């Protein structure tokens, strides 16, 4: 089995196309087949190297390695269509000489007019066939006169093209609706329908798995295979990915590209697992399946025909699951860009990464995505007593609890760092003894004073982390420490600062 993913490098990798790539990958892996990556860059105006690079990076990020193609090489190259123009040229001669293709001299304005008239008369807007019956002599003469000519495929009249689609079952098209497609534009650039057939045939692709938006191209392509005397591959057209309103997922629904999801801090394993479940189910009520397990179970025959809705909530749920499984040091490294973005981290030292590997998983346990981690670490890396007291309600509450804050400052000034939950609880017990407060009236002001926030991580966990961070920081007054982290004030310093901020001058 040989399958291919054939993106056009005209933008970011859309999640719908990423799903197509994934299905190809799963089928190839499941069957021990070969996945080819071909870049369809014949749209000269819109194709860019940056986009090709970005698509390749996204595929690699998702873990979808290909076996052959751009970046890998192989026996069927080159794998960029822009480098295969000689191949397309050689094959078009064959079709022209047999009269299966012909030169078309219609100008764009003329074609536009035809279209207009056809639509007005409620006819399918297909090529009117003006140049269909030019004799080879006439065509040669016009070429000689310097008239620009495209090359069109002569679609046989009144034929029923029938094919079996793995996903959609039997599909029929009558050639009446097709119109003769352009194979090569007047500038000599091959059109998609032509290049794709030449490439799939010469690259010996056995299964074409692609988006349903291409299904109306398939009869044209099948007729081209016939014209060359080639056997068409097996087709599988997978449904498109839809937004919540059941129109194809687009910008107005929010994020659509793999790059955007990646930038928001979704893990690749969550995205691939989620994409596999759009329109396919592994059965047995299972949903969480890593890539290798997906490859073992996935069957194209089980892919549903109906369009799948992209459900961001479900993706978030899946991401939370994989965030909980992720190794702490991986989470720490993945979070660094978001922390840098806040100005809280520069280049962390090994010690700082070790520290983050303790801290980030605590934060990641309660987020959907890694871009939400900084908000959960503000208490640690951006503590400010003054800011905590800006909210008049919080200030009023803190003032009522002034005795607790005063006792806390004093207790902490006289104890060592609260490096574990026991040390923290012992300190709390002393504050309770001094103030006679318990429960929320005791713990709420302690939380405010030590984290600067009215709610958040359990104090049992938060306070030891603050203390570890403070030990890592050396208070040399610089905005970023030699560890690469912003200085972290100790619990004792926080309690003192909070007490000062609360005490009127
Ligand atoms: N370059 C086409 C696309 O990105 C590929 C279609 C196909 O797989 O045949 O839509």
């Amino acid at each position: 089995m040989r399958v291919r993913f054939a993106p056009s490098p005209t933008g970011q990798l859309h999640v719908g196309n990423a799903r197509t790539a994934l299905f190809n990958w799963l089928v190839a892996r499941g069957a021990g087949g070969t996945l080819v990556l071909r870049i369809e860059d014949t749209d000269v105006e819109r194709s860019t190297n940056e986009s090709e690079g970005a698509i390749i990076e996204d595929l690699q990020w998702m873990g979808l390695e290909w076996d052959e193609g751009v970046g890998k090489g192989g026996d069927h190259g080159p794998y960029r269509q822009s480098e295969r123009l000689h191949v397309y040229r050689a094959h078009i001669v064959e079709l022209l000489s047999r009269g299966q293709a012909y030169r078309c001299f219609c100008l764009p304005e003329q074609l536009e007019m035809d279209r207009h008239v056809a639509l007005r008369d409620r006819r399918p807007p297909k090529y009117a066939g003006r140049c269909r019956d030019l004799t080879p002599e006439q065509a040669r003469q016009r070429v000689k006169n310097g008239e620009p000519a495209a090359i069109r495929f002569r679609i046989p009249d009144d034929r029923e093209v029938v094919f079996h689609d793995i996903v959609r079952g039997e599909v029929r098209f009558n050639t009446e609706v097709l119109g003769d497609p352009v194979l090569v534009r007047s500038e000599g650039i091959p059109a998609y329908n032509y290049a794709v057939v030449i490439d799939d045939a010469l690259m010996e692709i056995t299964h074409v798995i692609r988006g349903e938006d291409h299904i109306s191209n398939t009869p044209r392509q099948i007729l081209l295979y016939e014209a060359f005397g080639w056997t068409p591959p097996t087709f599988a057209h997978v449904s498109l990915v839809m937004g919540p309103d059941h129109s194809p997922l687009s910008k107005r629904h929010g994020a659509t590209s793999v790059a955007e999801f990646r930038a928001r801090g979704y893990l690749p394993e969550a995205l691939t697992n989620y994409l596999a479940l759009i329109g396919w189910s592994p059965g047995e009520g299972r949903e969480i399946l890593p890539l290798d397990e997906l490859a073992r179970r996935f069957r194209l025959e089980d892919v549903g025909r109906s369009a799948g809705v992209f459900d961001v909530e479900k993706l978030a749920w899946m991401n939370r699951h994989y965030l909980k499984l992720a190794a702490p040091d991986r989470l720490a490294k993945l979070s660094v860009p978001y922390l840098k973005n806040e100005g809280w981290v520069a280049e962390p030292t090994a010690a700082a990464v070790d520290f983050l590997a303790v801290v980030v998983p605590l934060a990641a346990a309660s987020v959907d995505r890694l871009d939400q981690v900084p908000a959960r670490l503000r208490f640690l890396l951006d503590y400010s007593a003054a800011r905590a007291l800006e909210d008049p309600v919080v200030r009023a509450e803190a003032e009522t609890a002034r005795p607790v804050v005063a006792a806390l400052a004093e207790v902490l000034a006289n104890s060592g760092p609260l490096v574990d939950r026991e040390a923290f609880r012992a300190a709390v017990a002393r504050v309770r003894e001094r103030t006679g407060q318990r429960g929320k009236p005791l713990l709420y002001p302690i939380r405010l004073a030590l984290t600067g926030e009215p709610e958040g991580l359990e104090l049992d966990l938060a306070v030891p982390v603050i203390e570890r961070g403070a030990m890592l920081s050396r208070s040399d007054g610089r905005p970023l420490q030699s560890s690469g982290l912003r200085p972290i004030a100790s619990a004792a310093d926080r309690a003192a600062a909070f007490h000062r901020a609360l005490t009127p001058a």
Side-chain angles (χ1 to χ4, degrees):
M1 162 181 277
R2 289 173 58 84
V3 295
R4 84 314 192 262
F5 179 56
S8 302
T10 55
Q12 300 277 14
L13 181 62
H14 186 279
V15 286
N17 288 336
R19 173 165 160 269
T20 301
L22 172 63
F23 283 5
N24 275 288
W25 187 91
L26 291 173
V27 165
R29 286 299 160 273
T34 300
L35 173 61
V36 177
L37 176 69
R38 181 172 71 229
I39 297 290
E40 304 208 324
D41 58 350
T42 53
D43 184 338
V44 195
E45 257 133 63
R46 294 172 58 229
S47 299
T48 65
N49 290 337
E50 293 73 60
S51 165
E52 179 187 309
I55 290 171
I56 286 181
E57 205 180 307
D58 285 342
L59 291 173
Q60 286 169 337
W61 175 75
M62 289 174 71
L64 308 181
E65 278 299 329
W66 52 101
D67 309 292
E68 191 181 309
V70 169
K72 280 265 152 64
D75 296 338
H76 302 72
Y79 294 94
R80 244 181 232 102
Q81 289 190 329
S82 59
E83 294 163 11
R84 299 175 60 78
L85 300 180
H86 58 289
V87 181
Y88 309 128
R89 227 170 276 136
H91 282 85
I92 203 71
V93 176
E94 219 180 291
L95 291 185
L96 280 170
S97 68
R98 292 201 294 261
Q100 287 165 314
Y102 60 90
R103 293 190 202 274
C104 169
F105 301 89
C106 296
L107 295 170
E109 306 81 68
Q110 180 73 61
L111 295 171
E112 192 43 46
M113 276 260 281
D114 291 348
R115 235 180 84 80
H116 209 77
V117 171
L119 286 174
R120 192 199 57 200
D121 299 347
R122 296 176 188 283
R123 282 181 287 115
K126 59 175 200 178
Y127 175 57
R130 195 172 294 102
C131 297
R132 217 173 192 233
D133 300 320
L134 293 177
T135 63
E137 278 322 305
Q138 289 168 313
R140 222 175 331 242
Q141 192 53 48
R142 290 176 73 168
V143 170
K144 220 152 127 214
N145 295 348
E147 274 191 65
I151 299 173
R152 283 187 191 270
F153 181 45
R154 191 184 299 280
I155 295 268
D157 292 324
D158 202 19
R159 266 273 316 272
E160 185 107 287
V161 181
V162 186
F163 64 95
H164 179 82
D165 186 288
I166 300 184
V167 175
R168 319 198 65 80
E170 192 181 271
V171 181
R172 291 174 173 269
F173 278 92
N174 192 286
T175 55
E176 281 313 288
V177 297
L178 291 183
D180 294 347
V182 169
L183 299 182
V184 182
R185 287 181 241 283
S186 55
E187 315 83 57
I189 304 293
Y192 159 72
N193 274 311
Y194 173 55
V196 77
V197 167
I198 299 292
D199 290 350
D200 285 339
L202 299 186
M203 294 180 186
E204 299 181 77
I205 300 303
T206 58
H207 293 72
V208 167
I209 304 162
R210 63 184 168 201
E212 192 191 17
D213 48 336
H214 284 293
I215 200 157
S216 62
N217 287 317
T218 306
R220 297 177 175 92
Q221 294 173 13
I222 288 177
L223 291 168
L224 266 171
Y225 281 98
E226 281 181 15
F228 282 108
W230 295 331
T231 312
T234 303
F235 291 95
H237 289 90
V238 299
S239 61
L240 299 183
V241 174
M242 301 292 175
D245 60 355
H246 292 265
S247 70
L249 186 71
S250 73
K251 284 277 160 236
R252 70 200 160 80
H253 297 114
T256 57
S257 69
V258 171
E260 285 169 290
F261 287 99
R262 180 178 170 183
R264 288 175 190 198
Y266 290 95
L267 296 177
E269 59 269 40
L271 187 63
T272 47
N273 191 159
Y274 175 64
L275 288 177
L277 298 187
I278 303 182
W280 174 76
S281 158
E284 301 163 23
R286 293 207 41 197
E287 302 213 283
I288 300 285
L289 296 153
L291 262 186
D292 52 344
E293 179 82 28
L294 287 171
R296 260 198 301 282
R297 290 172 176 254
F298 184 81
R299 287 177 69 243
L300 268 179
E301 289 76 6
D302 300 335
V303 171
R305 295 167 180 230
S306 52
V309 171
F310 193 85
D311 178 353
V312 187
E313 284 306 315
K314 184 145 182 197
L315 172 61
W317 168 78
M318 200 153 266
N319 204 46
R320 285 198 296 276
H321 173 86
Y322 283 105
L323 283 173
K324 292 195 178 86
L325 294 184
D329 55 338
R330 176 175 174 222
L331 286 183
K333 288 198 187 97
L334 289 175
S335 297
V336 164
Y338 305 101
L339 300 172
K340 276 189 181 168
N341 206 27
E342 300 287 337
W344 298 348
V345 167
E347 290 312 322
T349 58
V353 172
D354 285 349
F355 173 62
L356 290 175
V358 174
V359 172
V360 171
L362 296 177
S366 61
V367 297
D368 291 347
R369 318 181 302 257
L370 290 174
D371 69 350
Q372 297 165 331
V373 162
R376 306 283 165 159
L377 292 184
R378 187 169 294 285
F379 83 90
L380 183 68
L381 289 157
D382 192 27
Y383 172 84
S384 155
R387 197 183 55 231
L389 291 166
E390 268 167 17
D391 181 337
V393 178
V394 171
R395 176 170 272 277
E397 288 165 344
E399 270 166 11
T400 314
R402 190 192 304 267
V404 172
V405 174
L408 177 72
E410 204 187 307
V411 165
L412 295 193
N414 296 305
S415 44
L418 311 177
V419 286
D420 52 28
R421 123 186 2 221
E422 285 67 38
F424 170 65
R425 288 186 181 171
V428 172
R430 258 172 284 145
V431 177
R432 186 175 62 224
E433 279 157 26
R434 289 181 186 219
T435 59
Q437 297 288 7
R438 53 181 58 245
K440 191 171 178 220
L442 175 69
L443 289 173
Y444 178 70
I446 292 180
R447 171 179 292 284
L448 272 184
L450 298 187
T451 69
E453 291 176 349
E455 54 196 26
L457 199 61
E458 275 173 65
L459 285 176
D460 274 0
L461 297 173
V463 173
V465 152
I466 290 171
E467 298 289 66
R468 268 192 76 166
M471 289 191 271
L472 191 69
S473 307
R474 235 160 301 293
S475 283
D476 56 9
R478 279 183 297 156
L480 281 165
Q481 302 295 304
S482 48
S483 63
L485 293 187
R486 227 174 157 198
I488 294 168
S490 68
D493 288 347
R494 290 171 182 223
F498 196 83
H499 187 226
R500 272 196 309 277
L502 203 53
T503 309

